[in-house]
Amino acid sequence: MELFHNANIDWLGRKWYFLGFSLIFSVAGLISMGLHLAHTGSPVPLGVDFRGGTQVLVQFQNDPDVNQIRKATEAAGVNAKIVNYDTPDKREMLISLPEQSDASVDSGRKQIVDALQAHYANHATVVRVESVGPTVGQQLEKQAGLATLYSLIGMLIYLWFRFELIYGVAAVVAVFHDTLITVGFFALFDKEVSLTVIAAILTLVGYSMNDTIVVFDRIRENLRLSRRESLTDVVNRSINQTLSRTVLTSGLTFLTVLALYLFGGEVLRGFSFALVVGILIGTYSSIAVAAPMLVAYQGWRGSKGKAAVLPSAKRSKA
């Protein structure tokens, strides 16, 4: 199926607009994280997985009253955060007790459960209890950061061998741009970053990188067939030739994660939100960030009197 028959869009003619747009969004992401850091001490709202604490999911027989639940927990000496966990008809509430010490994790959980049992007796059922100590949370935070860093380094090395180093650098910068903007949205909308969100970000890294590799592969093929054509024309043609594939693949994936965000419930809300934002930004960067950066670098080499670094040139030497 081809959505754009013989597309002839001058992407590179607008490359400075695209790069400027990306710079504005990246800076906005950094600013939102900086403001969140100034107000809370953390650049993004961390979930219980990373900061430690207790979460108790409770299902009530009747429509729950948040004020009554808050009074019950406060009477037990617990200052908890109480939110609707899912659709109102399910009558489920999520009661969170954040940032406890390792020694008080178990006592905090017991206080919440005892307060609910005392106030609601058999009219409330504890569905799930999750507790993470701050020490374990810090370890998970460090491991999540390292996992993201190692994945970017691994992809850089892979693209270095498959194309050239500059191709890998352009792709990794584009993916870092996607990740920065996506995390900035979490800080802006005060959405918690949990382990499932980290999983979504790693999924986004792979998805965006795959889109970029498809465009780079087409650029390499066209460079072999059109050696006399300028790099700008080759890159423009390559993006246009892969445009239908990119829009169809990303569009269908976006619809899937959007449905997951709207109807998947609170458990998957952070995961699906990261993918909804990330797929939009990742598709944009595959077209309008990675390839223009590649052309801008080759143009800079040309201005210095240096030959362009192209995969076809490397192969001819071999």
Side-chain angles (χ1 to χ4, degrees):
M1 184 177 180
E2 191 173 6
L3 285 179
F4 304 97
H5 185 65
N6 293 329
N8 187 28
I9 302 172
D10 182 14
W11 299 97
L12 274 299
R14 302 173 177 85
K15 64 178 180 294
W16 296 117
Y17 294 104
F18 292 136
L19 295 178
F21 178 79
S22 294
L23 182 62
I24 291 171
F25 265 74
S26 298
V27 171
L30 287 173
I31 291 175
S32 65
M33 285 189 280
L35 291 175
H36 200 276
L37 176 66
H39 283 88
T40 66
S42 173
V44 291
L46 295 176
V48 171
D49 298 335
F50 298 123
R51 57 178 158 73
T54 299
Q55 285 187 334
V56 180
L57 178 61
V58 185
Q59 187 173 50
F60 296 85
Q61 288 186 2
N62 303 312
D63 291 340
D65 186 317
V66 175
N67 291 328
Q68 287 186 1
I69 298 172
R70 184 168 289 111
K71 288 179 181 177
T73 53
E74 287 177 353
V78 178
N79 185 19
K81 178 182 177 182
I82 303 167
V83 295
N84 280 103
Y85 187 69
D86 210 331
T87 52
D89 60 324
K90 290 189 177 180
R91 297 168 181 168
E92 292 181 343
M93 303 292 287
L94 186 66
I95 304 173
S96 303
L97 190 59
E99 299 179 5
Q100 299 167 276
S101 65
D102 289 323
S104 63
V105 167
D106 290 337
S107 61
R109 176 179 53 194
K110 187 174 183 305
Q111 281 178 296
I112 294 176
V113 174
D114 287 348
L116 292 172
Q117 289 295 331
H119 194 80
Y120 289 97
N122 297 324
H123 298 288
T125 305
V126 176
V127 178
R128 192 180 71 237
V129 179
E130 294 179 355
S131 297
V132 178
T135 304
V136 175
Q138 289 172 4
Q139 291 175 350
L140 290 174
E141 183 180 358
K142 180 181 178 182
Q143 290 171 351
L146 289 175
T148 306
L149 178 63
Y150 291 155
S151 67
L152 291 176
I153 293 174
M155 290 179 184
L156 174 63
I157 295 172
Y158 169 72
L159 289 177
W160 186 357
F161 281 98
R162 181 165 175 173
F163 298 96
E164 287 285 354
L165 178 59
I166 182 57
Y167 283 73
V169 171
V172 167
V173 169
V175 169
F176 182 76
H177 152 279
D178 303 340
T179 306
L180 176 63
I181 294 176
T182 303
V183 174
F185 268 87
F186 273 82
L188 180 65
F189 291 103
D190 198 29
K191 288 184 172 293
E192 288 189 348
V193 175
S194 63
L195 282 176
T196 57
V197 172
I198 297 299
I201 290 175
L202 291 175
T203 303
L204 164 66
V205 167
Y207 187 89
S208 178
M209 188 66 75
N210 182 60
D211 266 354
T212 304
I213 289 174
V214 169
V215 176
F216 282 179
D217 261 334
R218 185 57 62 94
I219 292 174
R220 179 168 59 181
E221 291 173 7
N222 286 333
L223 282 172
R224 292 174 188 164
L225 299 173
S226 309
R227 293 179 181 274
R228 294 183 179 179
E229 198 174 0
S230 71
L231 178 61
T232 300
D233 291 339
V234 170
V235 172
N236 262 332
R237 186 153 52 86
S238 302
I239 295 175
N240 285 323
Q241 287 174 346
T242 56
L243 191 59
S244 290
R245 177 263 174 205
T246 302
V247 172
L248 277 174
T249 306
S250 300
L252 291 175
T253 309
F254 176 77
L255 291 177
T256 303
V257 296
L258 181 63
L260 200 62
Y261 177 74
L262 294 175
F263 308 112
E266 192 63 30
V267 175
L268 299 174
R269 191 59 52 80
F271 179 85
S272 53
F273 180 76
L275 289 178
V276 165
V277 176
I279 285 176
L280 287 176
I281 301 296
T283 303
Y284 162 78
S285 71
S286 301
I287 295 173
V289 175
M293 281 184 59
L294 189 64
V295 175
Y297 172 77
Q298 306 292 17
W300 174 80
R301 284 184 65 88
S303 68
K304 299 292 182 183
K306 299 178 181 179
V309 179
L310 303 172
S312 56
K314 182 180 179 181
R315 285 177 174 273
S316 64
K317 289 177 183 177

